Amino acid sequence: MNTAAQPKIVGFATQGHGGDDERRLKALLSGLSVQYYPFEKRKKHRNLWAIMRYLKSERPELVVMEGTGVFGGLALILSSYLVKTRYVISSGDSVGPFVAQHVPALGPLFHWYEKLLYRRSIGFIGWTPYLTGRALTYGSKYGMTAAGWAPFTLEESARSAAKKRIRDRYGIAEEQLVIGIVGSLNWNTKVGYCYGYELVQAMQRVLRKDVTILIVGDGSGQGRLEQLAGDKNIIFTGRVKREEVPEYLAAMDAASLPQSVDQVGSFRYTTKISEYLAAGLPVITGTIPMAYDLRGDWLIRIAGNSPWSEKYVGQLAEFIDGISIEALREQAVRVPRQLPQFDKEQQISSVGAFIGDIVYDIRGG
């Protein structure tokens, strides 16, 4: 760090105190001395004024916010004008397009909010390089990428045992091809989609009988998917503990990572990619930038601009019908268990240097 004295840094996550985003932020900033504001997820609007009062009282040299929640973001924007607060944003989503996809009428407002949030920031930590480029384009002075990491992994011997245990639990034969997905099954009413929809719809067209779909997670879309599934070989596990996810991944032969080719999906890696890699799973995804930048024959690209489109579902069904279990398991051998982008210690070191250089700039170095 290029600073003579330890800087006063405040951090918080707009997902809420104690959540996954706060854990990510604390890990990334673990090499620094940071005090954390306990953002109340259930009372988001109260955080706006509480954060502003806190920053006025504490006068930190720098604030680091994980997420782009509007009440936390507005507190930073207003504080940057009123008490000259300098702040860094870390985010895994393009805010304006994401909100517009769900509530079109609010799209223009959140596009404006996103641009102002980044323009007033001194730095941005993107979960992908594409998001970092977006923030820099909107006016953030400094930028870097911290793509995340697999929080829980299994050794090979434990993975083999977990595979048998999970398959036995759900009555899946050893010779059965299992394609799965892990995630929140939150239904998007505007487009009629949630994670897993692409697999359920594709299975309606798949002719072979030696395929099972394993959908891990819950949410408002689970009931819809269960109705669509009918009598096909589709298993819904419901919510599982975070630390148990690697056991369910061990039961799979390939994993679905569906993203739309637009300003929402194209900017993402999603947090699951590092976990799928750690589990040694070939990844089925769309023609998004990630599919070319993290290239390798372990990435299986499916054409179609969105995973709810007729083209994507049709191509996915063709792939499932055409791939042999042997070929997919041979692909799994070539899956890199960890790419440099998902090295936790490297990201912590890089973020520490990034924050240190920003503080040095703020101090007029």
Side-chain angles (χ1 to χ4, degrees):
M1 182 179 292
N2 294 323
T3 54
Q6 284 293 315
K8 188 172 187 179
I9 301 172
V10 166
F12 67 91
T14 58
Q15 184 196 62
H17 176 59
D20 287 342
D21 276 9
E22 186 182 71
R23 282 190 282 273
R24 167 189 158 89
L25 182 63
K26 286 185 174 181
L28 288 175
L29 300 179
S30 58
L32 303 165
S33 177
V34 182
Q35 58 190 69
Y36 291 90
Y37 172 83
F39 194 95
E40 296 184 71
K41 186 176 181 179
R42 295 182 180 180
K43 303 174 181 178
K44 292 183 178 181
H45 62 285
R46 295 186 182 180
N47 290 285
L48 171 60
W49 307 115
I51 291 172
M52 290 181 65
R53 287 194 298 269
Y54 181 80
L55 296 180
K56 183 179 179 181
S57 171
E58 295 293 325
R59 295 297 177 105
E61 287 184 80
L62 188 67
V63 182
V64 185
M65 182 176 84
E66 181 66 54
T68 50
V70 66
F71 293 109
L74 285 176
L76 293 184
I77 291 169
L78 290 172
S79 295
S80 74
Y81 284 108
L82 297 174
V83 292
K84 309 302 181 185
T85 299
R86 311 304 296 269
Y87 65 86
V88 169
I89 301 295
S90 173
S91 175
D93 278 308
S94 50
V95 187
F98 179 82
V99 172
Q101 188 182 85
H102 290 77
V103 188
L106 294 178
L109 179 61
F110 275 83
H111 271 94
W112 171 83
Y113 163 71
E114 182 181 20
K115 290 180 180 179
L116 182 59
L117 181 67
Y118 296 161
R119 187 166 68 247
R120 297 294 301 176
S121 74
I122 193 171
F124 183 85
I125 304 170
W127 290 34
T128 71
Y130 325 121
L131 287 166
T132 301
R134 182 181 179 88
L136 292 172
T137 299
Y138 287 161
S140 188
K141 185 174 182 180
Y142 298 109
M144 66 164 290
T145 302
W149 53 86
F152 301 100
T153 59
L154 294 177
E155 297 295 333
E156 194 58 40
S157 58
R159 186 171 177 269
S160 298
K163 178 178 181 178
K164 184 178 187 308
R165 183 166 58 252
I166 297 299
R167 287 197 174 209
D168 287 349
R169 180 181 300 172
Y170 293 101
I172 305 171
E174 182 180 354
E175 63 273 12
Q176 195 80 350
L177 175 63
V178 178
I179 299 175
I181 188 170
V182 176
S184 298
L185 310 181
N186 297 319
W187 190 255
N188 183 328
T189 304
K190 182 175 181 288
V191 298
Y193 176 80
C194 71
Y195 285 145
Y197 173 91
E198 72 290 347
L199 292 171
V200 172
Q201 288 290 63
M203 280 295 285
Q204 309 309 311
R205 310 180 187 196
V206 170
L207 300 177
R208 61 195 293 185
K209 302 300 181 183
D210 62 340
V211 178
T212 295
I213 300 300
L214 185 63
I215 298 178
V216 181
D218 66 357
S220 59
Q222 183 174 338
R224 294 173 184 263
L225 294 187
E226 289 174 339
Q227 288 182 341
L228 290 171
D231 59 356
K232 298 293 182 178
N233 292 330
I234 302 174
I235 295 169
F236 296 88
T237 69
R239 181 184 293 271
V240 303
K241 293 180 180 179
R242 194 76 178 85
E243 61 271 22
E244 293 177 357
V245 167
E247 297 190 11
Y248 287 82
L249 294 178
M252 302 176 189
D253 293 298
S256 178
L257 191 70
Q259 293 296 331
S260 50
V261 183
D262 56 22
Q263 288 197 345
V264 177
S266 290
F267 282 102
R268 288 174 167 171
Y269 283 164
T270 85
T271 56
K272 292 292 174 283
I273 183 68
S274 59
E275 296 179 71
Y276 288 168
L277 291 178
L281 293 174
V283 176
I284 305 167
T285 191
T287 52
I288 57 176
M290 180 205 74
Y292 304 96
D293 291 345
L294 304 183
R295 61 180 301 171
D297 61 2
W298 54 272
L299 264 170
I300 301 151
R301 293 188 299 274
I302 302 295
N305 289 335
S306 65
W308 54 87
S309 70
E310 177 71 18
K311 185 174 185 179
Y312 191 102
V313 169
Q315 293 252 320
L316 180 58
E318 288 181 20
F319 167 78
I320 294 172
D321 254 335
I323 190 71
S324 70
I325 296 176
E326 293 75 21
L328 201 52
R329 290 178 180 173
E330 283 178 14
Q331 269 187 306
V333 175
R334 296 188 291 275
V335 174
R337 294 307 179 92
Q338 181 173 290
L339 292 173
Q341 292 93 327
F342 305 111
D343 183 276
K344 180 179 180 181
E345 295 308 315
Q346 182 174 306
Q347 291 176 66
I348 291 172
S349 176
S350 295
V351 169
F354 180 69
I355 296 299
D357 288 341
I358 287 177
V359 171
Y360 185 71
D361 182 10
I362 291 172
R363 291 179 173 179

